[in-house]
Amino acid sequence: QGGDGAGSQTGSFAGTDNPAPAVDGIVDFRGGTFDVAGAANATLNDLVELTGATLAGAGTWRVNGAVTWTGGTQSGSGETLVLAGKTLTRSGAGSVSLSERTLRIQGTATVRVTGAGQTTMSDGATIDNLGTFDLQTDADIFDTFEGGVDPAEVFLNKGTLTKSGRDASFPNTSIINAELVNSGTVTATTGRLELQGGDGAGSQTGSFAGTDN
């Protein structure tokens, strides 16, 4: 919970998946600020959770396993890179913040949204999806209107953005009000995916489709 002060992370973090009845080992970023500086990178492996801390810096946080994000902030001018074949799960009822940072999902990587909490983008944050971004609940992705002071928040979809699930109760809707520029595929297989942010200076070249169930 103490952060890293003036330090910078360059190593790896990993929990341990123990066979039952043993308890799994989990690395929990619960409080404080942890930085990756400049051209450096740090790696998050299986059973790492971000529950309340801030992952920051101009470098790269690499998601190289099954990592869970339930609370806290990802910020700074660097990127969080979900590596090919790996999964970042955005779970829980609480909100999280993506500030300035780029969340980049490589091809065959996945971000799964399984919780009800919203994701708030601010200070020109970008989601750059080349893999799969899967909304499995009625969770929303909101931008923060700053009146033109900061760059717009943008969702760049070059892979698959899908709403594949919904909550049990009305309204069965997920809202994305950041700018969306789609050169891939946007689908809703159940419920409603509302796109409210326009595309700013972008241009659409991808496809959009609902599902007749």
Side-chain angles (χ1 to χ4, degrees):
Q1 297 185 13
D4 56 17
S8 175
Q9 308 297 323
T10 57
S12 65
F13 302 83
T16 303
D17 184 5
N18 293 314
V23 177
D24 288 343
I26 295 173
V27 176
D28 182 2
F29 288 89
R30 184 168 291 273
T33 298
F34 299 84
D35 290 281
V36 175
N41 63 74
T43 301
L44 308 177
N45 294 306
D46 287 340
L47 293 174
V48 173
E49 299 181 358
L50 173 59
T51 62
T54 297
L55 302 185
T60 300
W61 286 96
R62 301 167 71 247
V63 175
N64 189 42
V67 175
T68 302
W69 186 13
T70 61
T73 299
Q74 298 191 37
S75 67
S77 60
E79 69 175 18
T80 299
L81 179 63
V82 186
L83 297 173
K86 307 305 179 182
T87 300
L88 174 64
T89 299
R90 166 70 187 96
S91 63
S95 62
V96 301
S97 175
L98 182 68
S99 177
E100 184 183 8
R101 198 165 196 83
T102 295
L103 172 59
R104 180 165 287 117
I105 303 111
Q106 289 188 335
T108 73
T110 301
V111 171
R112 297 187 312 134
V113 181
T114 63
Q118 75 179 42
T119 299
T120 300
M121 301 173 67
S122 62
D123 297 320
T126 299
I127 297 174
D128 185 11
N129 177 43
L130 291 83
T132 299
F133 197 104
D134 186 3
L135 294 160
Q136 300 180 0
T137 65
D138 292 342
D140 302 315
I141 301 174
F142 287 138
D143 72 344
T144 302
F145 180 70
E146 287 118 354
V149 176
D150 292 312
E153 291 75 48
V154 182
F155 194 126
L156 300 174
N157 183 56
K158 304 165 188 173
T160 298
L161 167 61
T162 185
K163 179 171 174 61
S164 69
R166 58 186 177 85
D167 295 344
S169 58
F170 187 79
N172 304 143
T173 299
S174 291
I175 297 170
I176 298 177
N177 73 351
E179 293 179 3
L180 174 69
V181 179
N182 176 41
S183 58
T185 301
V186 175
T187 66
T189 58
T190 185
R192 181 179 294 270
L193 177 59
E194 288 191 3
L195 310 177
Q196 298 185 358
D199 58 17
S203 176
Q204 308 298 322
T205 58
S207 65
F208 300 82
T211 304
D212 184 6
N213 293 313

